[in-house]
């Protein structure tokens, strides 16, 4: 199971990196950035996974007896933070992209910055 | 000395308050910046350095903590002095967003110098990135919009690499505290060490404006107003240098065959040469 | 000419990426002494062990369900996010604040009119909105017992305002949202400072004595999650207003 | 269970490749939403329900909505000129 998770998240990271490096449309670049971010988040959670692990929520005395079998809660907490940061990045960059379209009259990242 | 957290908390509260105080923002800006400088001098004079602040009462490797050492206090003085000097250049600006960005940048640079936790450092760098991007885009014309967009895309890609390296550190060593990482790092494999180091270095180079990633600097300096340039160089540059010095040379010391000082020296040498060549080619 | 350049770029990118993939593969098969990245064992002395056993302050202490402990949240992810690493969460709130401030600052304001919504959407919108509010409220109140928490709760509450905007009903003013956002943001830090004056540490959980599994447990966790939920909802709603406001 | 995980992973990978390669921006946005939703299922399989809910609400729904709003706004601009 762990191998499936890690390989799938790494593949997402590489596909997203390819997109960021080769695409020229700004919206496509931002989508690719989001794909990388999803991949990294999955990688972090997969690092905390153990085979046959339990959800880290205490429901009864039975779950307190099985604390060693629970998956690692710290990467999940970090990923909760990083998802929200990703939303912030996307929102800010999209607003900049709309203004970029207004000022440059183009949605390609290669448009020149000089006037005229 | 638990009250050192005020250096971060007071500017953040001011960032919220600046949504309402329309014309008084400038006074608040001077007040908060001078408060930070005076508080730093007070800590410097108090004579209880070095000390360690556990936020929330959780002790060092388990919670987030602020570390103040002899080097930290000097860099803190530098950052706050740079802030005081650069706000004198701020002319009459009416938009409250400018002041909010400034307060967040002040808090983020103070925090980058103070923090002793890996993920907290990542968050402070993100915070400073967004504040700088907003300040660069302040003029909202053709040049500044392009510069801000390119800077934002570059630095968020870089910060994702540093997030991956934080995950690798947590998986192998099981901790996020700087001091704890430095103790446990010698038990790591050479290849794993190199991978973590490469991922982290590539993200730090953007903040430090070193060669392969320094192309955003020219555009953003051209596109933004003078005081923003002072912020970028005086505050973010100083804090970034301290963060890099601590993380690269204290947390990741020169071990095995990887000599970080040599790599950094070669890269900065190339930065100087290529930057000068680029400046000569620029038409006046 | 342009296609050739693009083909060249693609080939170079693929070469770089395959080099990176090869390097990662080499790291994974490397046989040296010490801890490896691909090791499947959990490291000794991991931080999470103390979080799971809830004995950061007292080495030997144990706890049972329905009893008190140093942190009484039943959902351990929540207890890490809002108690052990609360300072991270407050900074994350600031990140969202800054980016959305920048969003409103940068986005060009131009005239835009919305099409008139259909009658079905107009009639059914209040029911959907109330449903969304109930789900969001449940999520942040129960954030310390079940999966969920402040951030998705805020997102869901903001969806109800989005439905209001799309169906053409006036719900809240954008100025009110700004006030809510600032008050929630300031009070998070005020609580942190208050705990400094009560307990001597910033952002310490100063309500103690409740039991794991109760609705009213976790000390300050539900308070913080409520504030975060309102703040996130106000910020995200501001984005929708920026897009769909009739100027 | 492992077959289901592999199935979801393959869908996610193909969706990501399609998103990056397609010429149509709107289609890319919608398929990115599907990829994000599939990653939420993967988080559920990794025993992380908190992250799954957050990813479904924020990473999938609101990010996709923002992309679509922006796309419409940029398209409107082109029609005016």
């Amino acid at each position: 199971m762990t191998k499936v998770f890690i390989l799938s998240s790494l593949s997402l990271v590489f596909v997203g990196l390819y997109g960021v490096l080769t695409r020229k449309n700004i919206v496509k670049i931002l989508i690719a950035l989001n794909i990388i971010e999803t991949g990294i988040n999955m990688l972090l959670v997969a690092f905390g996974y153990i085979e046959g692990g339990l959800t880290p929520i205490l429901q009864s005395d039975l779950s307190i007896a099985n604390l060693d079998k629970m998956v690692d809660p710290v990467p999940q907490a970090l990923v909760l933070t990083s998802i929200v940061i990703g939303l912030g990045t996307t929102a800010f960059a999209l607003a900049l992209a709309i203004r970029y379209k207004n000022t440059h009259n183009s949605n390609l990242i290669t448009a020149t910055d000089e006037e005229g | 000395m638990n009250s050192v957290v005020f250096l971060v908390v007071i500017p953040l509260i001011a960032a919220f308050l600046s949504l309402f105080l329309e014309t008084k923002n400038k006074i608040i800006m001077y007040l908060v910046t001078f408060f930070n400088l005076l508080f730093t001098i007070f800590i410097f004079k108090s004579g209880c350095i070095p000390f360690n602040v556990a936020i929330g009462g959780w002790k060092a490797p388990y919670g987030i903590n602020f570390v103040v050492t002899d080097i930290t206090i000097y860099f803190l003085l530098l950052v706050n002095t740079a802030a005081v000097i650069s706000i004198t250049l701020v002319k009459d600006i009416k938009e409250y967003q400018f002041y909010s960005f400034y307060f967040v940048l002040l808090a983020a640079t103070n925090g980058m110098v103070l923090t002793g936790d890996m993920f907290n450092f990542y968050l402070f760098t993100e915070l400073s990135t967004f504040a700088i991007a907003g300040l660069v885009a302040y003029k909202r014309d053709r040049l500044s919009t392009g510069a801000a967009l390119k800077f934002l895309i570059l630095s968020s890609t870089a910060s994702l690499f540093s997030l991956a390296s934080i995950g690798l550190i947590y998986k192998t060593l099981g901790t996020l505290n700087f001091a704890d990482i430095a103790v446990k790092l010698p038990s790591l494999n050479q290849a794993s060490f190199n991978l973590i180091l490469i991922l982290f270095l590539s993200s730090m180079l953007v903040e430090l404006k070193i060669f392969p990633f320094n192309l955003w600097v020219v555009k953003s300096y051209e596109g933004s107003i003078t005081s923003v340039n002072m912020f970028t160089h005086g505050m973010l540059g100083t804090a970034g240098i301290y963060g890099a010095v601590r993380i690269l040379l204290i947390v990741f010391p020169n071990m095995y065959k990887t000599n970080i000082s040599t790599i950094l020296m070669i890269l900065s040498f190339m930065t100087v040469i290529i930057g000068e060549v680029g400046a000569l080619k620029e038409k006046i | 000419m342009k296609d050739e350049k693009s083909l060249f770029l693609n080939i170079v990118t693929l070469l770089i990426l395959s080099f990176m993939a090869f390097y990662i593969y080499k790291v994974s098969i490397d046989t040296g002494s010490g801890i490896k990245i691909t090791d499947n064992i959990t490291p000794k002395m991991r931080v999470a062990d103390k979080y799971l056993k809830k004995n950061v302050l007292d080495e030997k202490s144990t706890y049972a369900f329905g009893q008190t402990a140093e942190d009484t949240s039943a959902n351990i992810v929540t207890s890490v996010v809002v108690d052990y690493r609360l300072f991270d969460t407050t900074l994350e709130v600031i990140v969202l604040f800054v980016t959305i401030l920048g969003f409103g600052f940068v986005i060009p304001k131009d005239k835009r009119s919305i099409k008139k919504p259909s009658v079905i959407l107009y009639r059914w919108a209040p029911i959907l909105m109330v449903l969304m509010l109930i789900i969001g409220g449940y999520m942040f109140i129960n954030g310390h017992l079940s999966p969920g928490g402040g951030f998705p709760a805020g997102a869901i509450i903001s969806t109800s305002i989005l439905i209001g905007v799309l169906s053409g009903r006036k719900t809240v003013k954008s100025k009110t949202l700004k006030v809510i956002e600032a008050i929630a943001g300031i009070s998070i830090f005020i609580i942190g400072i208050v705990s400094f004056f009560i307990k001597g540490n910033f952002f310490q959980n100063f309500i103690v004595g409740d039991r794991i599994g109760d609705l009213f447990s976790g000390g300050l966790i539900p308070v913080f999650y409520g504030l975060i939920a309102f703040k996130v909802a106000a910020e995200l709603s501001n984005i929708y207003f920026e897009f769909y406001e009739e100027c | 269970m492992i077959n289901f995980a592999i199935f979801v992973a393959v869908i996610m990978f193909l969706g990501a490749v399609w998103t990056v390669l397609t010429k149509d921006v709107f289609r890319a946005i919608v398929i990115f939403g599907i990829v994000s939703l599939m990653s939420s299922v993967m988080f559920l399989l990794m025993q992380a329900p908190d992250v799954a809910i957050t990813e479904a609400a924020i990473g999938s729904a609101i990010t996709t909505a923002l992309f679509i709003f922006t796309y419409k706004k940029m398209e409107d601009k082109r029609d005016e000129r």
Side-chain angles (χ1 to χ4, degrees):
Chain A
M1 285 290 258
T2 318
K3 268 191 181 138
V4 176
F5 294 141
I6 286 183
L7 282 181
S8 61
S9 49
L10 274 181
S11 70
L12 276 194
V13 171
F14 277 101
V15 170
L17 268 179
Y18 175 78
V20 167
L21 290 174
T22 59
R23 298 297 106 172
K24 295 201 177 64
N25 191 326
I26 296 171
V27 179
K28 294 283 296 282
I29 289 177
L30 292 177
I31 292 173
L33 206 62
N34 267 294
I35 289 177
I36 302 181
E37 201 216 316
T38 311
I40 298 270
N41 288 345
M42 279 180 59
L43 196 67
L44 253 68
V45 180
F47 283 157
Y49 182 77
I50 43 178
E51 295 289 336
L54 298 173
T55 313
I57 295 177
L58 310 173
Q59 277 148 351
S60 60
D61 277 325
L62 195 67
S63 54
I64 293 179
N66 286 332
L67 282 180
D68 291 334
K69 283 183 191 164
M70 282 185 178
V71 298
D72 202 330
V74 178
Q76 297 186 17
L78 302 187
V79 165
L80 274 184
T81 309
S82 90
I83 286 175
V84 180
I85 289 176
L87 172 72
T89 315
T90 312
F92 197 3
L94 283 176
L96 278 171
I98 294 172
R99 183 162 281 282
Y100 190 88
K101 169 91 180 175
N102 269 13
T103 53
H104 291 64
N105 198 15
S106 155
N107 49 15
L108 302 181
I109 194 86
T110 48
T112 64
D113 278 336
E114 273 74 43
E115 295 289 337
Chain B
M1 289 308 289
N2 272 352
S3 51
V4 73
V5 188
F6 275 127
L7 285 179
V8 179
V9 172
I10 294 287
L12 290 180
I13 291 178
F16 284 114
L17 281 178
S18 65
L19 294 180
F20 304 113
L21 310 166
E22 276 149 13
T23 51
K24 299 192 189 77
N25 270 333
K26 204 161 179 180
I27 304 165
I28 298 286
M29 181 170 83
Y30 277 97
L31 275 180
V32 169
T33 314
F34 277 109
F35 166 78
N36 262 23
L37 186 61
L38 292 178
F39 201 77
T40 314
I41 292 171
F42 166 68
I43 293 168
F44 182 59
K45 288 280 177 191
S46 70
C48 49
I49 300 166
F51 61 92
N52 199 328
V53 178
I55 297 174
W58 309 113
K59 60 188 183 200
Y62 304 107
I64 294 160
N65 62 336
F66 279 5
V67 184
V68 179
T69 59
D70 294 336
I71 317 169
T72 314
I73 195 74
Y74 285 114
F75 269 90
L76 216 54
L77 276 174
L78 269 180
V79 167
N80 285 317
T81 315
V84 168
I85 293 170
S86 23
I87 58 168
T88 55
L89 288 172
V90 175
K91 297 277 155 37
D92 45 334
I93 286 169
K94 288 188 184 63
E95 285 91 345
Y96 65 86
Q97 283 100 340
F98 183 89
Y99 298 98
S100 274
F101 287 142
Y102 166 73
F103 289 133
V104 170
L105 180 66
L106 184 63
T109 42
N110 276 311
M112 270 167 82
V113 176
L114 281 171
T115 187
D117 187 273
M118 205 81 186
F119 195 70
N120 211 241
F121 181 80
Y122 162 78
L123 277 171
F124 276 125
T125 51
E126 284 288 283
L127 214 51
S128 66
T129 298
F130 293 133
I132 285 290
L135 287 170
V136 168
Y138 168 72
K139 267 162 81 181
R140 293 186 280 187
D141 60 355
R142 199 179 165 93
L143 206 60
S144 61
T145 307
L149 185 60
K150 277 161 198 165
F151 170 58
L152 197 58
I153 289 175
L154 178 64
S155 62
S156 41
T157 316
S159 72
L160 286 175
F161 280 117
S162 79
L163 187 60
S165 85
I166 288 171
L168 286 174
I169 285 174
Y170 183 75
K171 181 184 164 43
T172 49
L173 303 178
T175 180
L176 289 171
N177 191 285
F178 282 155
D180 216 15
I181 291 171
V183 170
K184 286 182 181 172
L185 211 57
S187 65
L188 200 60
N189 201 358
Q190 170 70 44
S192 316
F193 177 82
N194 283 352
L195 182 63
I196 292 173
L197 187 63
I198 288 170
L199 285 174
F200 207 88
L201 195 65
S202 62
S203 75
M204 282 314 294
L205 292 185
V206 176
E207 296 280 327
L208 288 179
K209 318 184 186 81
I210 288 178
F211 160 58
F213 307 107
N214 65 347
L215 300 175
W216 62 274
V217 180
V218 181
K219 286 276 167 56
S220 78
Y221 274 28
E222 259 180 79
S224 53
I225 55 178
T226 318
S227 51
V228 173
N229 289 345
M230 290 285 288
F231 295 156
T232 319
H233 211 88
M235 293 161 73
L236 181 66
T238 318
I241 285 170
Y242 180 61
V245 162
R246 192 166 58 177
I247 288 171
L248 296 180
L249 301 182
I250 297 175
V251 178
F252 293 109
N254 293 343
M255 50 186 284
Y256 302 119
K257 287 169 285 182
T258 323
N259 199 337
I260 307 161
S261 329
T262 319
I263 299 172
L264 273 180
M265 210 150 76
I266 293 169
L267 279 178
S268 27
F269 199 62
M270 280 173 76
T271 311
V272 172
I273 289 177
I274 290 169
E276 292 298 320
V277 169
L280 284 178
K281 268 182 73 179
E282 199 74 17
K283 49 182 181 285
I284 304 155
Chain C
M1 185 65 200
K2 206 173 178 182
D3 285 330
E4 283 171 16
K5 208 175 170 185
S6 158
L7 187 69
F8 175 70
L9 186 67
N10 278 356
I11 290 169
V12 169
T13 312
L14 281 177
L15 276 177
I16 294 172
L17 289 185
S18 52
F19 176 73
M20 281 170 67
F22 178 71
Y23 189 75
I24 291 175
Y25 173 72
K26 242 186 94 184
V27 169
S28 73
I29 61 164
D30 186 73
T31 52
S33 58
I35 311 169
K36 271 169 64 182
I37 285 173
T38 45
D39 276 353
N40 226 345
I41 47 163
T42 51
K44 280 175 232 156
M45 287 291 294
R46 158 177 92 125
V47 185
D49 289 335
K50 294 269 183 175
Y51 293 159
L52 284 169
K53 287 179 184 140
K54 291 188 195 286
N55 57 358
V56 172
L57 297 178
D58 185 6
E59 284 284 323
K60 301 251 162 55
S61 74
T62 54
Y63 64 98
F65 199 77
Q67 303 295 313
T68 87
E70 67 175 13
D71 172 86
T72 49
S73 155
N75 187 345
I76 291 172
V77 178
T78 302
S79 83
V80 175
V81 169
V82 196
D83 203 352
Y84 292 111
R85 304 184 68 89
L86 174 61
F87 196 58
D88 276 355
T89 311
T90 56
L91 287 178
E92 174 191 3
V93 167
I94 297 288
V95 168
L96 203 58
F97 166 73
V98 169
T99 51
I100 283 162
L101 202 69
F103 183 90
F105 181 58
V106 167
I107 195 167
K109 308 274 189 296
D110 44 69
K111 282 205 173 98
R112 177 184 173 83
S113 58
I114 319 172
K115 274 183 281 180
K116 208 165 165 52
S118 66
V119 181
I120 299 176
L121 185 59
Y122 186 79
R123 291 275 174 232
W124 283 83
I127 297 169
L128 274 175
M129 282 159 68
V130 170
L131 207 65
M132 290 294 183
L133 284 178
I134 289 170
I135 295 173
Y138 173 81
M139 243 180 202
F140 75 75
I141 289 171
N142 265 21
H144 54 292
L145 298 178
S146 59
F151 293 99
I156 290 169
I157 290 173
S158 81
T159 322
S160 89
I161 292 173
L162 175 65
I163 293 171
V165 171
L166 286 178
S167 67
R169 281 180 184 272
K170 286 264 177 263
T171 44
V172 279
K173 281 182 195 152
S174 148
K175 185 85 183 167
T176 321
L177 286 176
K178 212 166 267 173
V179 173
I180 292 175
E181 178 189 339
I183 288 175
I186 290 172
S187 34
I188 289 174
F189 288 98
I190 295 289
I191 291 175
I193 292 176
V194 164
S195 75
F196 170 66
F197 286 117
I198 293 178
K199 287 268 188 176
N201 283 313
F202 277 90
F203 296 107
Q204 187 164 13
N205 199 340
F206 56 77
I207 300 177
V208 286
D210 37 15
R211 293 167 304 171
I212 300 169
D214 283 4
L215 181 59
F216 291 101
S217 63
L220 282 178
I221 289 176
V223 179
F224 274 119
Y225 258 175
L227 289 173
I228 288 170
F230 278 112
K231 192 169 175 340
V232 170
E235 279 165 349
L236 292 178
S237 314
N238 256 330
I239 291 190
Y240 308 141
F241 279 118
E242 295 287 346
F243 274 114
Y244 275 100
E245 210 167 20
E246 283 176 279
C247 306
Chain D
M1 194 55 90
I2 190 159
N3 292 329
F4 183 61
I6 290 172
F7 175 69
V8 174
V10 167
I11 288 181
M12 209 164 61
F13 178 67
L14 291 181
V17 170
W18 193 0
T19 308
V20 168
L21 291 184
T22 180
K23 287 262 192 296
D24 188 354
V25 179
F26 188 76
R27 199 168 288 173
I29 293 168
V30 173
I31 298 165
F32 166 70
I34 295 173
V35 171
S36 195
L37 214 58
M38 286 296 150
S39 80
S40 162
V41 175
M42 292 293 268
F43 284 131
L44 210 55
L45 288 178
M46 290 180 209
Q47 308 290 337
D50 281 277
V51 185
I53 289 175
T54 311
E55 174 76 26
I58 290 178
S60 177
I62 289 184
T63 309
T64 314
L66 278 183
F67 271 119
I68 290 176
F69 291 161
T70 310
Y71 175 75
K72 281 181 79 175
K73 200 150 186 164
M74 284 166 107
E75 285 295 295
D76 286 355
K77 209 73 206 168
R78 193 173 68 191
D79 290 342
E80 278 171 19
R81 292 189 188 222

